Amino acid sequence: MNTADLGLPVDVPSTALFTDHYELTMLQAALKAGTADRRSVFEVFTRRLPEGRRYGVVTGTGRVLDAVENFRFDARELDFLRERGIVDERTLEWLAAYRFSGDIWGYPEGEVYFPGSPVLRVEGSFAECVLLETVILSILNHDSAIAAAASRMASAAGSRPLIEMGARRTHELAAVAASRAAYVGGFATTSDLAAGFRYGIPTVGTSAHAFTLLHDTERDAFRAQVDSLGEGTTLLVDTYDVTEAVRLAVEIAGPGLGAVRIDSGDLLLVAHRVRGQLDELGATETKIVVTSDLDEYAIASLAAAPVDAYGVGTQLVTGSGHPTCSMVYKLVARAESTDPKAPLLPVAKKSMGAKTSVGGRKWAARRRDEQGVAEAEVLGTGPVPADLVDRQLLVELVKGGTVVAREPLDAVRERHIEALDGLPLSAKQLSRGEAVIPTEYLVSTPV
Amino acid sequence: MNTADLGLPVDVPSTALFTDHYELTMLQAALKAGTADRRSVFEVFTRRLPEGRRYGVVTGTGRVLDAVENFRFDARELDFLRERGIVDERTLEWLAAYRFSGDIWGYPEGEVYFPGSPVLRVEGSFAECVLLETVILSILNHDSAIAAAASRMASAAGSRPLIEMGARRTHELAAVAASRAAYVGGFATTSDLAAGFRYGIPTVGTSAHAFTLLHDTERDAFRAQVDSLGEGTTLLVDTYDVTEAVRLAVEIAGPGLGAVRIDSGDLLLVAHRVRGQLDELGATETKIVVTSDLDEYAIASLAAAPVDAYGVGTQLVTGSGHPTCSMVYKLVARAESTDPKAPLLPVAKKSMGAKTSVGGRKWAARRRDEQGVAEAEVLGTGPVPADLVDRQLLVELVKGGTVVAREPLDAVRERHIEALDGLPLSAKQLSRGEAVIPTEYLVSTPV
């Protein structure tokens, strides 16, 4: 894809420098040692879910595909590497010709994952694969963290729509990715215009307290807003006195007023009072939007309140306590030599502490009971058992360097709903717990 | 500045869509109501520090200046807004001509801040100022959160250098801003090549476990690395057995080996053991770098260990428990009319809960005792008391739309060290506490 097609302010000409320095020094040393071309398999997985979480949400895969396609070293990048003396001339030459030519398989975006799930598998020469580690992890760790929080919030909100409005609480481009991830996780709309531009997510918004304060009276402000945006607009009613503002809002917009927004105070109490007042004023169809420091627990606690939509900012873009996932990108197998026919050997770090891995190129399948409910995440390195052949999770994303699996974001969003519906009901409980299904290994080689 | 000068993969042609939808609908309504041109003053401040933190670090100001300069609506942005029906034609015309023409004052970047500190003050017409809210908050909330964590880690590390290596744990462009913020807060280097490219921060790195696993033996891997990167390189010694790896490392590189890196296990214990072994092998100058899930507390706990440098990833880029600040952008004063001579009226939201503000255009000064140690953050709306005139904190950043205060990142980094040195000693304690100095208000108008 030409980068010009990608959209814009949120795109960058090349993703090649979103890379840790050591990827390039490893490349240089492997080129010199003659090991750079050994066929290698890297897997992305997490050793654990964030504490208390029942499932993870694979998100960012579409952005990974863009990043791999745009990973190339042009003159500016090469000049920088040369001037800083980061790698030698031979390595610079190799980088100048770099295009990923390998294969990538992965869980389809929106699918759920569990500890050990190989959410992405990158296969090719060591050299071409190792370079992609940093940018792939940046994308998946960020986007999946946001989507996991969004998914829990969507479960808590039930059929009421969620508005993503966290742009101001995170890096300006992370915000765009966060809107995308929130949409995958079940949010309906975003406040972020760049997310609307880049990903087509519906954008919404009407006014802030500043707009009321700009005007001489709340009446002037409401009048100005309704004159410009119509009676279907959402009026913010908590700048001064809520009861007076609600009265004024219906007086000015009429009973066809679209919605009122409450951004402070005891939302449960205020929502009940405002609903009663709106109904008394005949504005029975006017909706109530609440937007004050919400997280999945606050949303759940408002389930019985007369609230029609939730706006979520800070807690969404910071992953509701878990702003990143702990996904890693590990070499799990590599060829004995650079001979293209050399067999793959499983490899794994075997040292102190919890940082060990299971070696070998893995398949993954989700075992289900007779009702179709997931029972276990099964990972293996040998043949796939007959009863799991149709339950496999990995799909082909990149074939010989070419992206083969782009899809619209709405398909990803739908897939997440289906994936969640296939889990035991307790997956949607907000209370802390273990992964909702266990991970089982069927490893055919000693590790 | 021409955007081409800005550097690269991390830059974007325009920052205008890093904006919440409601900023544009407010603009449209104010244009129609005839209030858009009322002179307005917005202040950025936070109502509280993250729980337990003693001070905040103003970071991102330089990026804000770039964002304001590149905030413009070109054909692609305008077409998007038109096609989506986000604003009317009159507003689109106004946006097409938009360039910020007002004034911005702020705390110099790297300075510390406390609850209420007006870290940025944006002044101009309501229309031109309100549009900048989202992108300014995105930058300051993200960058200041990272710098605050970095600053505490730097205090804990004392004279030992800190390496920023969190790119893989956060959005790929947030990572670049995080490297910058970490550098402001006291980190010495980064793993992120894009941060080296964009901001000139020194980049470092040598190898990962994958490099060892790629080779048939650890000996082959160490040999390959030393052959390519020289004896001064850092060898990763915890892929298999640490003691054997350290022995091998010195055998292959000689006693001039630059450093060994330990990435797992009980770092205190292992560092002592490795130091003893290195000294016995005659590698008395070989350094020890540790890099496993460190935060400020883990760093402090290693103060007595024979460690020479710390690499910090996840906890740095997630703000060590506080991934965002709670800075807000509030209208604090506006003119009575669009007459250029109309006086400014202080304004503030007066509603439920903790979301109230102090109205009025404020000065800020730090009162110090006879030893020059900070005693209080004093904020006021009237005349500045004589003893505080020389202690004022706000400096001019943008004058009539032109940036007047660009500065090199090293100056910002130096300023932070000075600012921290001017606080009571307890500022550098890691234990939880209140803001290390109180905020006092000298407000001359009733609010």
Side-chain angles (χ1 to χ4, degrees):
Chain A
M1 194 192 306
N2 187 300
T3 51
D5 300 337
L6 283 175
L8 102 166
V10 292
D11 290 308
V12 294
S14 164
T15 51
L17 291 185
F18 298 140
T19 297
D20 281 337
H21 186 123
Y22 78 4
E23 318 288 7
L24 297 196
T25 47
M26 285 193 276
L27 168 66
Q28 176 183 307
L31 283 171
K32 185 163 188 184
T35 48
D37 286 337
R38 289 186 173 188
R39 185 153 191 84
S40 296
V41 182
F42 286 83
E43 285 176 359
V44 176
F45 63 94
T46 179
R47 296 187 179 96
R48 57 192 176 282
L49 296 176
E51 206 188 327
R53 293 281 175 86
R54 318 301 302 259
Y55 61 91
V57 184
V58 179
T59 313
T61 314
R63 296 211 306 120
V64 164
L65 299 180
D66 290 345
V68 170
E69 214 165 35
N70 290 290
F71 199 97
R72 56 172 190 281
F73 294 84
D74 296 328
R76 290 191 297 181
E77 288 86 359
L78 295 169
D79 287 348
F80 162 73
L81 297 173
R82 181 179 292 111
E83 280 159 23
R84 289 289 193 97
I86 289 169
V87 285
D88 60 20
E89 281 300 323
R90 178 183 175 185
T91 308
L92 291 172
E93 265 173 49
W94 191 93
L95 291 173
Y98 180 80
R99 291 290 184 282
F100 180 70
S101 70
D103 303 317
I104 301 181
W105 288 64
Y107 278 37
E109 188 166 8
E111 185 52 271
V112 295
Y113 70 85
F114 300 94
S117 300
V119 298
L120 206 74
R121 189 175 69 207
V122 180
E123 197 164 345
S125 73
F126 176 81
E128 67 180 340
C129 295
V130 76
L131 289 189
L132 300 176
E133 175 179 29
T134 313
V135 72
I136 286 177
L137 288 179
S138 288
I139 293 171
L140 294 179
N141 273 322
H142 174 268
D143 293 11
S144 299
I146 308 304
S151 174
R152 284 163 58 84
M153 290 170 183
S155 290
S159 60
R160 296 174 180 173
L162 289 161
I163 307 162
E164 188 281 304
M165 39 186 274
R168 64 189 57 195
R169 299 287 174 213
T170 187
H171 181 278
E172 65 276 20
L173 277 150
V176 182
S179 283
R180 182 185 184 281
Y183 192 70
V184 169
F187 274 55
T189 53
T190 179
S191 65
D192 190 339
L193 292 173
F197 183 98
R198 179 65 185 83
Y199 297 115
I201 302 168
T203 63
V204 295
T206 55
S207 65
H209 297 109
F211 187 78
T212 300
L213 296 171
L214 168 69
H215 292 87
D216 297 338
T217 63
E218 195 167 46
R219 175 182 295 274
D220 284 358
F222 286 3
R223 168 60 63 204
Q225 186 176 331
V226 171
D227 277 355
S228 178
L229 304 176
E231 65 170 16
T233 194
T234 299
L235 291 169
L236 178 58
V237 292
D238 69 342
T239 305
Y240 306 110
D241 178 80
V242 174
T243 304
E244 173 54 20
V246 170
R247 196 197 57 70
L248 198 59
V250 178
E251 180 197 321
I252 290 170
L257 174 63
V260 295
R261 178 160 79 94
I262 307 165
D263 185 48
S264 54
D266 179 332
L267 297 176
L268 183 64
L269 198 78
V270 179
H272 274 289
R273 218 174 55 204
V274 168
R275 181 74 270 158
Q277 191 186 357
L278 286 170
D279 290 347
E280 256 177 50
L281 293 166
T284 53
E285 300 297 311
T286 299
K287 296 193 184 316
I288 297 176
V289 184
V290 296
T291 58
S292 184
D293 289 335
L294 298 176
D295 63 10
E296 61 268 46
Y297 303 102
I299 291 167
S301 75
L302 291 167
V307 166
D308 300 286
Y310 305 95
V312 187
T314 306
Q315 291 301 317
L316 185 274
V317 298
T318 59
S320 199
H322 299 292
T324 186
C325 302
S326 51
M327 288 186 194
V328 292
Y329 183 92
K330 292 292 170 191
L331 183 68
V332 296
R334 51 99 183 152
E336 285 179 336
S337 72
T338 54
D339 181 337
K341 290 178 192 155
L344 285 175
L345 294 176
V347 296
K349 177 175 187 295
K350 286 173 200 162
S351 191
M352 308 162 291
K355 286 197 177 178
T356 52
S357 316
V358 177
R361 181 174 183 276
K362 285 174 273 300
W363 52 263
R366 193 160 297 151
R367 198 172 65 227
R368 300 186 179 278
D369 67 14
E370 285 154 18
Q371 280 72 47
V373 178
E375 280 183 335
E377 194 84 338
V378 189
L379 314 179
T381 57
V384 184
D387 62 323
L388 291 178
V389 167
D390 294 340
R391 300 288 191 197
Q392 290 189 85
L393 290 157
L394 290 157
V395 299
E396 193 166 34
L397 300 170
V398 175
K399 187 185 175 103
T402 302
V403 174
V404 296
R406 275 217 172 66
E407 56 185 349
L409 207 53
D410 280 317
V412 173
R413 186 177 156 85
E414 283 303 310
R415 180 179 298 117
H416 179 59
I417 293 169
E418 280 167 38
L420 206 50
D421 285 345
L423 295 181
L425 276 180
S426 55
K428 293 190 185 177
Q429 287 173 3
L430 295 183
S431 55
R432 302 168 81 83
E434 300 295 311
V436 74
I437 57 172
T439 301
E440 298 175 4
Y441 287 91
L442 290 176
V443 181
S444 60
T445 49
V447 290
Chain B
M1 191 192 305
N2 188 301
T3 52
D5 300 337
L6 283 175
L8 93 174
V10 291
D11 290 308
V12 293
S14 165
T15 51
L17 291 185
F18 298 141
T19 297
D20 282 337
H21 187 123
Y22 78 3
E23 318 287 7
L24 298 196
T25 46
M26 284 192 277
L27 168 66
Q28 174 182 310
L31 284 172
K32 183 162 189 187
T35 48
D37 286 336
R38 289 186 174 189
R39 185 153 191 86
S40 296
V41 182
F42 286 84
E43 285 176 0
V44 176
F45 62 93
T46 177
R47 297 185 178 98
R48 58 194 175 279
L49 296 175
E51 206 187 329
R53 292 282 176 85
R54 320 301 301 261
Y55 61 91
V57 184
V58 179
T59 312
T61 314
R63 298 211 305 119
V64 165
L65 299 181
D66 290 345
V68 170
E69 216 165 31
N70 291 290
F71 198 99
R72 57 172 189 282
F73 294 83
D74 296 328
R76 290 191 299 183
E77 288 86 358
L78 295 169
D79 286 348
F80 162 73
L81 297 173
R82 182 179 292 111
E83 280 159 23
R84 289 290 194 97
I86 289 170
V87 284
D88 60 21
E89 281 301 321
R90 177 183 175 185
T91 307
L92 290 172
E93 265 173 50
W94 190 94
L95 291 173
Y98 180 79
R99 292 290 184 282
F100 180 70
S101 70
D103 302 316
I104 302 181
W105 289 64
Y107 278 37
E109 188 166 8
E111 185 52 91
V112 296
Y113 70 85
F114 300 94
S117 299
V119 299
L120 206 74
R121 190 176 68 209
V122 180
E123 197 163 345
S125 73
F126 176 81
E128 67 180 338
C129 295
V130 77
L131 288 189
L132 299 176
E133 175 179 29
T134 312
V135 73
I136 285 177
L137 289 178
S138 288
I139 292 172
L140 294 178
N141 273 323
H142 174 267
D143 293 11
S144 299
I146 309 304
S151 174
R152 283 162 58 85
M153 291 170 182
S155 291
S159 59
R160 296 174 180 173
L162 289 161
I163 308 161
E164 186 282 303
M165 36 187 275
R168 65 190 56 196
R169 299 287 173 213
T170 187
H171 181 277
E172 65 276 20
L173 277 151
V176 182
S179 283
R180 183 186 183 280
Y183 192 70
V184 169
F187 274 55
T189 53
T190 179
S191 65
D192 190 340
L193 292 172
F197 183 99
R198 180 65 186 83
Y199 296 116
I201 301 169
T203 63
V204 294
T206 54
S207 64
H209 297 109
F211 187 78
T212 301
L213 296 172
L214 169 68
H215 292 88
D216 297 338
T217 63
E218 195 167 46
R219 175 181 295 274
D220 285 359
F222 285 3
R223 169 60 63 204
Q225 186 175 331
V226 171
D227 278 355
S228 176
L229 304 175
E231 66 171 14
T233 194
T234 299
L235 291 169
L236 179 58
V237 293
D238 69 341
T239 304
Y240 305 111
D241 178 80
V242 173
T243 304
E244 173 54 20
V246 170
R247 195 197 59 68
L248 197 61
V250 178
E251 180 197 320
I252 289 170
L257 173 64
V260 295
R261 178 161 79 94
I262 307 165
D263 185 47
S264 53
D266 180 331
L267 297 176
L268 183 64
L269 198 79
V270 179
H272 275 289
R273 218 173 58 203
V274 167
R275 181 74 268 159
Q277 191 186 357
L278 286 170
D279 290 348
E280 257 179 46
L281 294 166
T284 54
E285 301 296 312
T286 299
K287 296 193 184 316
I288 297 177
V289 184
V290 296
T291 57
S292 184
D293 289 335
L294 298 176
D295 62 9
E296 61 269 46
Y297 303 102
I299 291 167
S301 76
L302 291 167
V307 167
D308 300 286
Y310 305 95
V312 187
T314 307
Q315 290 302 317
L316 186 274
V317 298
T318 58
S320 199
H322 299 292
T324 187
C325 302
S326 51
M327 287 185 194
V328 292
Y329 182 93
K330 292 293 170 191
L331 183 67
V332 295
R334 52 95 182 155
E336 286 179 337
S337 72
T338 54
D339 181 338
K341 290 179 192 155
L344 284 174
L345 294 175
V347 296
K349 177 175 186 295
K350 285 172 200 162
S351 191
M352 307 162 291
K355 285 194 177 180
T356 52
S357 317
V358 177
R361 182 175 183 274
K362 283 174 273 300
W363 52 262
R366 193 160 297 151
R367 199 172 66 228
R368 299 184 180 279
D369 68 13
E370 284 152 20
Q371 280 72 48
V373 178
E375 280 183 335
E377 194 84 339
V378 189
L379 313 179
T381 58
V384 184
D387 63 321
L388 291 178
V389 167
D390 294 339
R391 301 287 192 200
Q392 290 189 84
L393 290 157
L394 289 156
V395 299
E396 192 165 34
L397 300 170
V398 174
K399 187 185 174 106
T402 302
V403 174
V404 295
R406 277 220 170 65
E407 57 186 347
L409 207 52
D410 281 316
V412 173
R413 186 177 156 85
E414 283 304 310
R415 180 179 298 117
H416 180 59
I417 293 169
E418 279 167 39
L420 207 49
D421 285 345
L423 295 181
L425 277 179
S426 55
K428 293 189 184 177
Q429 288 173 4
L430 295 183
S431 55
R432 302 169 81 82
E434 299 296 311
V436 73
I437 56 172
T439 301
E440 298 173 4
Y441 287 90
L442 290 177
V443 180
S444 62
T445 49
V447 291

